[in-house]
Each structure stands twice: as C-alpha cells, then as structure tokens.
Amino acid sequence: MAEHALRRRRRLWIYLAMAGLAVFFLFPLVFMFVSSLKPDGQILSDVGGWRAFLPVGDISLRNYSGVFDRVPVGRFLLNSVFVTAVVVGAGLVVNSMAGFALSRLRWTGRGVVLSIIIATLIVPFETIAVPMVYWVSQLPTLVFQNGIVQYDFGWLDSYEVQIVPFIANGFSVFLFAQYFSTIPTAIDEAARIDGAGWFTIYRKIAVPLSGPAFATVAILTFLPAWNQYLWPSMVVQDENLRPVMVGMQYFFQDNTAWGEIMAYTSMITLPVLVVFLAFQRAFVSSVAASGVKG
C-alpha cells in the first residue's frame, strides 16, 4: 500500500512538472494573442508585469481591422496554403520514390548517392540562396499572353519558384530510405514472383506499410514551407504571389504598429495551431513510430 501511494505521489509530481512546463511554453502565445487586442501604448506599458498576459484595459478588435487595411491577408494566406500543400504533396511522392529506390533496389553507386544526399544536410540554405536566384532566373518557362503560349526565361515572380526548389529534400529521402529498409525483403521477392513490377511494389506494398514515415515527413515539410521568408523575399516581388511571412515587412515600413503586428502573427499562427491540435495524436505517434523503426 505504501509503495502504491508513493507511486501515485511521484506520478502527481511528474504531472505537475509537465503542466508547469506547458504553461511556461504557452506564455509567448498568450502574450501574442492578448497583445493583439490592445493598443500600442498599453502593450508597451504592460510589458514587464502580469498585465501583459491578461486581457485587461482597452480591449478591442481594432488591430485586426487595421491588419486588413494594411495587408492583403486573404491573398497571402491563399498563396501560403497553395504553396505549402503542393510542396508537401509533391515532396511526399518524390522523396518516397527516391527513398524506395535507395533502400529496396540494388544498383551500382547506390551507397555513394545516398552519402551525397546526406551530405547536403550540412549545407545551410543561406550559402546557396544567391546562386539559386541566378539559376532560377535563367530557367525556361511558358507564359500565357492574350491567349497565346509563349516561350520565355526566368521563374522569378511565380509559384513554381516557391515550390520546385523545396520538393526534393535530403532528410526526407534519408528518412524514407531508413524506414523502407525495415520492411522485410521477402515481401518484394514474393511480389516479384507474382509478376509485380517495382512501381507496383512501391505503390501497393511499401506505401501502405509506411504510414508513420509519410506522416512524419509531412509534418517536417509543412512547417518550413509555411514559414518561408528569406527565399520569397528574394524571388517574389509581385504582391499577388507573396506568402504570409513576407507580409511582416508591411508593418515596419512606415511606423511600427505593435498591436497590428501581434494581430497579424496571431492570424498566421492560428492555422498551424489548429492543424496541430486536430492531428496532435497522429503527430506524436507518427514521430515516435518512425523513430523506433528507423
């Protein structure tokens, strides 16, 4: 009985510690949402005290209406949703097929190719951003003018320049290759005897058995795609094509409106929180499962 009580007390302390950490990490989000309801003067005066985390004082939705007056929020959100969805969807297909080829097929140089892919993970994106701007400006493209298809050069100010460079990802290929390698090869041999090709094995065997890997890659691809700032700032000047993160520039051009900044960041953070809360269990289980099997 004493041991059981000790175990319950220990579990209670663990839950209290976890709850305290959760509250601590929620403070920035609470501050952001609460500050989005306050005028600039009150935000600055409340900083440094508990009032910064409480919806007290002059509370209103004026900052949110000010955001829509300053920034085309709807257009930016639509662009980010489209770019993120295509990057995640195409990335799952391309990276999983590459990982399947590296883990299940036997061909000369497979280890060298995988080593090169892994080596790309140590190269910071900032070191190749400027050369990439030059190369995407030289790529051929098709444009539609007055109903006529014309051949031109340059991907700047387009959706493809925000999507194509980020579809293939070294870490995603490595994760898929590691996960596919845990599937018994006897399944492939049985399928080959029945006349199935490699693409059929990938589509009907490997993909259905790799749900946790697909979920993990989707999660890890979604966040960087949604939070893109540096690359769109360099290659997209057309306001109709910009994502939500680039919209932060609009609040620092004339006078810094901290209330509107908090309102804007709350609006672009809310979709991420909703997705996480809706799929929280799948997120945790997929990462845990892929970590154990990989």
Side-chain angles (χ1 to χ4, degrees):
M1 181 69 68
E3 184 179 352
H4 181 68
L6 180 62
R7 190 180 300 114
R8 289 184 60 184
R9 191 180 300 113
R10 186 178 303 169
R11 187 179 303 170
L12 176 62
W13 282 110
I14 292 176
Y15 288 159
L16 289 175
M18 294 174 63
L21 286 174
V23 172
F24 177 78
F25 286 114
L26 281 174
F27 274 168
L29 291 176
V30 173
F31 174 77
M32 178 181 66
F33 286 121
V34 170
S35 298
S36 68
L37 303 174
K38 300 178 180 179
D40 294 352
Q42 186 175 342
I43 293 174
L44 299 176
S45 63
D46 289 347
V47 171
W50 286 105
R51 291 176 60 87
F53 302 97
L54 300 175
V56 295
D58 186 10
I59 302 299
S60 68
L61 297 176
R62 288 192 297 269
N63 291 325
Y64 288 90
S65 60
V67 166
F68 283 93
D69 293 336
R70 186 179 297 215
V71 177
V73 183
R75 186 65 189 182
F76 287 173
L77 283 172
L78 182 62
N79 293 336
S80 285
V81 169
F82 174 73
V83 170
T84 302
V86 176
V87 169
V88 172
L92 289 176
V93 175
V94 171
N95 295 315
S96 63
M97 293 180 70
F100 180 83
L102 290 168
S103 64
R104 313 298 288 184
L105 277 63
R106 298 293 180 265
W107 43 281
T108 304
R110 182 181 59 146
V112 176
V113 172
L114 182 59
S115 299
I116 294 174
I117 291 175
I118 296 174
T120 61
L121 300 178
I122 66 175
V123 181
F125 175 75
E126 290 77 8
T127 62
I128 62 174
V130 174
M132 281 181 60
V133 173
Y134 170 76
W135 285 113
V136 296
S137 66
Q138 304 300 315
L139 290 174
T141 185
L142 297 177
V143 295
F144 295 89
Q145 292 184 352
N146 300 325
I148 302 175
V149 180
Q150 298 182 355
Y151 185 78
D152 200 357
F153 288 91
W155 281 14
L156 301 180
D157 281 335
S158 64
Y159 284 118
E160 54 263 32
V161 76
Q162 303 178 66
I163 295 173
V164 175
F166 303 98
I167 292 178
N169 181 273
F171 181 76
S172 298
V173 172
F174 174 71
L175 193 150
F176 275 121
Q178 290 295 101
Y179 197 94
F180 287 147
S181 64
T182 64
I183 301 175
T185 56
I187 299 178
D188 297 352
E189 296 170 358
R192 296 285 289 175
I193 293 175
D194 291 339
W198 282 115
F199 184 74
T200 302
I201 296 173
Y202 159 79
R203 182 169 57 89
K204 294 187 176 181
I205 298 177
V207 172
L209 293 176
S210 304
F214 276 85
T216 303
V217 172
I219 297 165
L220 299 178
T221 305
F222 168 80
L223 291 177
W226 182 265
N227 293 327
Q228 280 193 58
Y229 175 80
L230 176 62
W231 181 248
S233 299
M234 299 173 65
V235 298
V236 178
Q237 300 299 322
D238 188 350
E239 189 177 77
N240 293 324
L241 299 174
R242 287 179 169 176
V244 290
M245 291 302 168
V246 180
M248 291 295 297
Q249 297 177 352
Y250 288 64
F251 298 94
F252 297 95
Q253 292 177 352
D254 298 326
N255 57 325
T256 304
W258 294 109
E260 294 181 2
I261 291 174
M262 295 299 176
Y264 184 72
T265 53
S266 298
M267 294 172 64
I268 65 179
T269 304
L270 193 59
V272 180
L273 294 178
V274 170
V275 170
F276 176 76
L277 293 176
F279 300 99
Q280 175 179 330
R281 183 170 299 178
F283 284 4
V284 176
S285 62
S286 65
V287 174
S290 63
V292 171
K293 293 187 178 182

